[in-house]
Structure formats: C-alpha cells, structure tokens
Amino acid sequence: MTQEQLIPLLVNKDERAFTAMYDMYSKSLYAVIANLIKDSDEAEDVLQETFVKIWKNIDSYNDSKGRFYTWILNIARNTAIDKLRSKGYNNSKKNLDVDNFVYMVGDNSRMNSRIDTIGIKDFIKKLKPKCIQLLELLFFQGYTQQEASEELEIPIGTVKTQNRTCINDLRTYLNVS
C-alpha cells in the first residue's frame, strides 16, 4: 500500500489502514522515540500512544502544510517529549538504581545506530557546527527552544531564527540526495 492509498483509508477509519500504517512507519517512529526515551518498554508505550493519536487526529492532517511522514514524525517526537515532561514519568525516574546508570552509559552506541537507521545523522553532519549543536538539543535531546536558549546562552529569537535556517539547510540536503 502506498502513502497516497493509505491516507484516505485512515480518514475513513479503515482498520486495514491502521495495520498498514504501523507496518510502514513503526520502525522509524520508534527510532525517534527511543532516542528520547531510553527505556524500551516506555518507548514502546509512547509508540503505541503515537499511533492512537495519529488515528484519532488524521482529520487534522493537511497535505498542503507538509508531508504525511513529517506530520507523524512530529506527533511521535511531541508525544515522547510530553512523556519526558510528565510528572509521573519524572517521579518514576527519581530513584534510579546503579543498573540504570550502566544501561544509560552503555546505550549511547545503540542510540547512535538508531539515528543512523533513519539516515538523519549523515545529513546533519553536513550542516554548520552551530546547526549541529542546535538540532542536537532541540530534536535529539528534546529541549524546548527556551531551554536551548538558556543552554547555549543566546537569545530565544536567535534560537528560533537559527533553527529555521538550519532546518532549511537540512531540507536542501535532503532534496539534493
């Protein structure tokens, strides 16, 4: 099934479309989610929540505003960030045992391979160093623009402008390749 065939079926709430959508996009969405949520069980829960949100909100998708994949990717990323900021998630992570710290340190190589799996890392490497640093904070570490502003010690307006410029540069590389 192609994306063009999938979207009308999703709008009509055809259950076959849900299965097809999951088969088409679950691996790449999971990679984005797992990059933010290090616990695989939690990441799988967020993936499931993401697909439910896509299913429930498909009527809000507008192809004139962007590609379907970009839309669902943003839903996955935002759902993961919401999970990270939730009170329950933060409370459950307050008392980590030593095994969790070993897991987090050892997980870095797997995180990098997840990023490589979706092919973004090679494109980001082509960007200017300030773009690499900003995109790392905003998209891979889940910082808000305000948090990135504080971390980089630059005004929020500069963060917003640089983010827009960096995304446009990234789009240029993605269209060339």
Side-chain angles (χ1 to χ4, degrees), residues 73-95:
L73 200 61
N74 282 328
I75 291 173
R77 183 180 164 277
N78 291 339
T79 303
I81 290 170
D82 289 347
K83 180 68 169 184
L84 287 172
R85 292 185 179 152
S86 73
K87 192 173 194 175
Y89 182 81
N90 287 324
N91 286 340
S92 72
K93 300 302 176 194
K94 281 186 179 176
N95 295 319

Side-chain angles (χ1 to χ4, degrees), residues 3-113:
Q3 182 175 305
E4 290 76 25
Q5 296 168 323
L6 176 68
I7 295 170
L9 293 174
L10 287 172
V11 170
N12 292 326
K13 302 297 184 199
D14 186 319
E15 291 182 19
R16 294 173 299 164
F18 188 88
T19 303
M21 176 180 60
Y22 186 87
D23 291 343
M24 291 169 71
Y25 299 110
S26 62
K27 288 181 183 177
S28 58
L29 294 182
Y30 180 80
V32 170
I33 293 166
N35 192 34
L36 293 169
I37 310 253
K38 305 305 180 206
D39 180 274
S40 62
D41 290 336
E42 293 280 348
E44 288 176 17
D45 288 346
V46 171
L47 179 66
Q48 181 178 358
E49 188 178 337
T50 298
F51 278 107
V52 170
K53 284 182 178 182
I54 294 166
W55 180 257
K56 287 182 177 179
N57 297 307
I58 188 64
D59 292 331
S60 68
Y61 170 66
N62 183 343
D63 64 352
S64 68
K65 291 184 179 180
R67 294 180 20 215
F68 179 71
Y69 181 73
T70 304
W71 184 72
I72 65 173
L73 200 61
N74 282 328
I75 291 173
R77 183 180 164 277
N78 291 339
T79 303
I81 290 170
D82 289 347
K83 180 68 169 184
L84 287 172
R85 292 185 179 152
S86 73
K87 192 173 194 175
Y89 182 81
N90 287 324
N91 286 340
S92 72
K93 300 302 176 194
K94 281 186 179 176
N95 295 319
L96 296 175
D97 62 15
V98 175
D99 291 338
N100 283 340
F101 288 107
V102 171
Y103 169 75
M104 288 189 304
V105 170
D107 194 49
N108 192 31
S109 65
R110 290 198 319 228
M111 177 186 69
N112 287 334
S113 69

Side-chain angles (χ1 to χ4, degrees), residues 120-136 140 162-163 165-174:
I120 298 295
K121 195 170 187 178
D122 289 336
F123 290 106
I124 290 177
K125 285 180 185 176
K126 295 178 183 179
L127 298 173
K128 299 173 193 158
K130 70 179 180 181
C131 285
I132 294 169
Q133 184 180 25
L134 185 61
L135 293 179
E136 175 69 30
F140 297 116
Q162 286 181 357
N163 183 35
T165 301
C166 295
I167 294 297
N168 286 336
D169 290 348
L170 187 57
R171 281 187 183 127
T172 300
Y173 288 126
L174 291 172

